[in-house]
Amino acid sequence: MSFFLPYQQRWIEDPSPFKLMEKSRQIGISWSTAYACVRRASVSGARQDTWVSSRDAAQAQLFLEDCRAFSSALNLAAKDFQTSLLPEKFPVSTQSLRFASGSRIHSLSSSPDAQAGKRGTRVLDEFALHRNPRHLYAITSPGLTWGGQLEIISTHRGSDNFFNELVNEARHGDNPKGISLHRVTLEDALAQGFLAKLKTKLPACDPRQQMDEADYFNFVRQSCVDEESFLQEYCCQPADDVSAFLPWDLIAAAEYHDSEPWELDLRTHRIASTASNHPQTTLSPDARLYLGVDIGRDHDLTVLWLIEVLGDLTLSRKVTCLHNTSFARQEEILDEFMRLPTLRRVCIDQTGLGRQFAERARERYGRYRVEGVHFTPAVKESLAYPVRSRMEAQRLKIPADKHIRADLRAIKKETTTSGHIRFSAARSTAGHADRFWALALALHAASAAKPRPHLQPIRIVRPY
């Protein structure tokens, strides 16, 4: 078997000044691009540096680690011919990799401004996932004036994304930028030997060892949150931003960075991030907390979404999702939230199953603190628009989570034959846009809360 698959080889060998890869996830394009960067930088007489940017600094670092691995392997081979690709002292910088040719490969932050003033080859990995792809391109493209290549690699992130605009310009327009367009779906990759290559990297006990291409294709499809995500992530079909209430770019811009601390521990009142080495902070004793609760039982989820209002900014602090959970247990979990001393108001979906749940919560915690909200078309409209307006104003932060993205994307704004606005979402195995409505209820709780001079100690009555 060849070291690189045919689609990887075509990408590596393409000398075009402007290359664009529209791709499926996890098919080895970033890895093969790392090899191409090393090959260019290590040849004698190489003059151009390479600047690599991904959706976040951690991803760019992983790309650089692939470059290091290829560098070490190629250097060992070169020594058999009494030469070396690397300096005598192997570089140890976490930000760059230097070759004996004098050329370097640099890892950059995801900020577009980090590209300013740089010259040489640019690799923009996961381009569509950057917070502002259009601005990133505007800063990057002038750096090719004195030579080098621009390589843009990405899966799609909605039809309104600048990445999709570039793809359409190259495929259906006059291609004024001279883009060399590559496209590799999961189906394309499987047809060119991807699964056989993958199996060489998997443990013998991995169930994928027994799959053929059709089995693996269905395995990936079933692992996705919904069909829209599968088509976008693996089939190069951008999600339709026309029918969706919230475009992909709007959602992405509202998401916390991967290492940004946001999640509140209900017991310790400390805020931490998913990065274990990131320092924790303690929730302010003056924090203004609000909770939205969307009720489900068997088919739909129960979601509790906690927010903190900090000036003009609304910060998500906890998102708890419950599936097939008894109402007694749901009340116990609600009780954990209600024990937060600065939780000011809770709005609970009291439609259908939620009616008794909301009534019991009002009895236990007080009618001032708990409001039941009955979902009607008019109420849904009044709840939905604040989510969008806060995102548009960049005043809302949400977790970067694929299930949350899918729920927010699932909301469709429709006009009925009578001219009324209706907000709907298809029901799937992941729920019924329950996370969206919990967030909307939390924002409603904050907007409906009336200021009080002092927060009194809260007496909690145990469920009977």
Side-chain angles (χ1 to χ4, degrees):
M1 179 185 298
S2 172
F3 192 71
F4 292 106
L5 298 172
Y7 61 87
Q8 295 172 326
Q9 192 70 38
R10 285 193 295 271
W11 177 251
I12 292 168
E13 298 292 345
D14 186 351
S16 304
F18 187 175
K19 297 161 51 177
L20 188 148
M21 170 61 77
E22 177 191 22
K23 72 176 188 72
S24 163
R25 284 208 177 281
Q26 299 298 320
I27 58 171
I29 293 297
S30 297
W31 176 75
S32 53
T33 303
Y35 168 79
C37 290
V38 169
R39 192 176 72 169
R40 281 195 302 263
S42 62
V43 297
S44 177
R47 294 180 297 175
Q48 298 287 348
D49 280 3
T50 298
W51 306 86
V52 181
S53 176
S54 192
R55 63 184 176 89
D56 55 47
Q59 286 298 116
Q61 282 293 311
L62 289 174
F63 187 97
L64 197 62
E65 288 303 314
D66 285 337
C67 291
R68 290 180 191 280
F70 279 123
S71 300
S72 297
L74 292 175
N75 193 55
L76 287 175
K79 284 184 176 180
D80 290 339
F81 297 91
Q82 287 75 50
T83 186
S84 179
L85 304 181
L86 300 172
E88 291 184 7
K89 183 179 180 181
F90 190 83
V92 295
S93 169
T94 60
Q95 302 298 324
S96 64
L97 181 63
R98 183 168 60 88
F99 294 85
S101 66
S103 183
R104 294 168 296 177
I105 301 174
H106 306 269
S107 168
L108 290 177
S109 75
S110 59
S111 169
D113 294 336
Q115 296 279 348
K118 310 294 192 300
R119 293 188 294 180
T121 290
R122 311 300 181 91
V123 176
L124 306 181
D125 198 16
E126 295 292 8
F127 178 76
L129 276 65
H130 282 265
R131 293 181 179 268
N132 192 334
R134 187 183 298 274
H135 182 52
L136 177 61
Y137 175 83
I139 295 291
T140 300
S141 54
L144 302 178
T145 302
W146 299 99
Q149 288 180 293
L150 174 58
E151 301 186 7
I152 291 179
I153 305 162
S154 193
T155 53
H156 278 285
R157 182 54 69 86
S159 58
D160 280 349
N161 192 282
F162 183 62
F163 176 69
N164 190 49
E165 186 177 318
L166 290 174
V167 170
N168 286 330
E169 184 180 284
R171 179 172 292 132
H172 305 299
D174 295 331
N175 197 15
K177 297 180 178 65
I179 298 171
S180 176
L181 180 62
H182 296 243
R183 182 178 189 267
V184 185
T185 66
L186 176 60
E187 189 174 12
D188 296 330
L190 290 171
Q192 297 178 47
F194 170 74
L195 183 58
K197 177 75 74 173
L198 175 64
K199 287 181 178 181
T200 66
K201 306 294 183 182
L202 297 175
C205 59
D206 193 292
R208 287 170 290 181
Q209 294 283 8
Q210 308 304 318
M211 295 181 185
D212 61 17
E213 280 74 11
D215 294 333
Y216 182 78
F217 184 87
N218 290 328
F219 168 78
V220 172
R221 188 173 197 164
Q222 292 163 10
S223 70
C224 290
V225 175
D226 53 29
E227 186 68 6
E228 181 186 66
S229 297
F230 171 71
L231 293 175
Q232 176 161 260
E233 302 287 339
Y234 294 95
C235 301
C236 299
Q237 297 182 32
D240 181 14
D241 281 329
V242 175
S243 62
F245 181 59
L246 298 175
W248 276 105
D249 282 356
L250 202 60
I251 296 171
E255 291 178 343
Y256 287 109
H257 294 288
D258 286 349
S259 60
E260 195 171 356
W262 70 272
E263 188 167 20
L264 177 68
D265 187 311
L266 299 181
R267 292 171 298 177
T268 65
H269 298 178
R270 296 184 72 82
I271 299 167
S273 75
T274 54
S276 58
N277 61 345
H278 201 287
Q280 296 184 349
T281 58
T282 303
L283 186 72
S284 167
D286 299 322
R288 297 158 56 199
L289 300 177
Y290 304 91
L291 183 67
V293 185
D294 188 59
I295 299 296
R297 181 60 171 86
D298 297 323
H299 300 294
D300 297 337
L301 302 175
T302 287
V303 180
L304 301 95
W305 194 305
L306 181 71
I307 62 172
E308 177 187 0
V309 176
L310 192 62
D312 289 337
L313 192 61
T314 300
L315 306 171
S316 297
R317 286 302 183 207
K318 186 79 173 175
V319 181
T320 299
C321 300
L322 308 173
H323 178 252
N324 199 20
T325 304
S326 69
F327 286 118
R329 178 56 184 149
Q330 291 187 32
E331 288 186 332
E332 290 176 359
I333 292 171
L334 176 63
D335 185 74
E336 295 175 12
F337 282 89
M338 300 303 294
R339 286 179 175 276
L340 292 168
T342 58
L343 180 63
R344 298 178 176 226
R345 191 165 178 80
V346 182
C347 284
I348 301 176
D349 161 31
Q350 67 174 12
T351 311
L353 292 174
R355 181 172 181 176
Q356 184 178 6
F357 190 94
E359 287 179 354
R360 285 169 58 85
R362 283 197 299 270
E363 292 171 0
R364 289 157 57 200
Y365 308 118
R367 291 183 176 274
Y368 175 83
R369 296 189 74 212
V370 177
E371 176 189 352
V373 178
H374 184 75
F375 281 1
T376 65
V379 168
K380 281 189 170 184
E381 183 176 357
S382 68
L383 291 174
Y385 275 106
V387 178
R388 178 164 177 159
S389 62
R390 281 192 170 268
M391 284 187 173
E392 290 174 337
Q394 299 183 347
R395 293 165 52 197
L396 174 64
K397 300 294 288 183
I398 63 173
D401 177 87
K402 64 180 182 180
H403 298 286
I404 290 174
R405 291 187 205 113
D407 268 15
L408 268 57
R409 283 286 301 176
I411 297 296
K412 311 293 182 186
K413 176 186 171 185
E414 303 169 343
T415 303
T416 67
T417 54
S418 59
H420 295 104
I421 300 297
R422 182 179 68 181
F423 288 85
S424 63
R427 178 173 276 106
S428 69
T429 55
H432 194 213
D434 310 301
R435 297 171 183 83
F436 174 88
W437 292 117
L439 171 59
L441 286 165
L443 294 178
H444 179 68
S447 67
K450 297 178 181 178
R452 288 186 291 175
H454 300 287
L455 284 173
Q456 300 299 324
I458 295 162
R459 176 175 175 268
I460 293 190
V461 179
R462 291 290 182 187
Y464 50 83

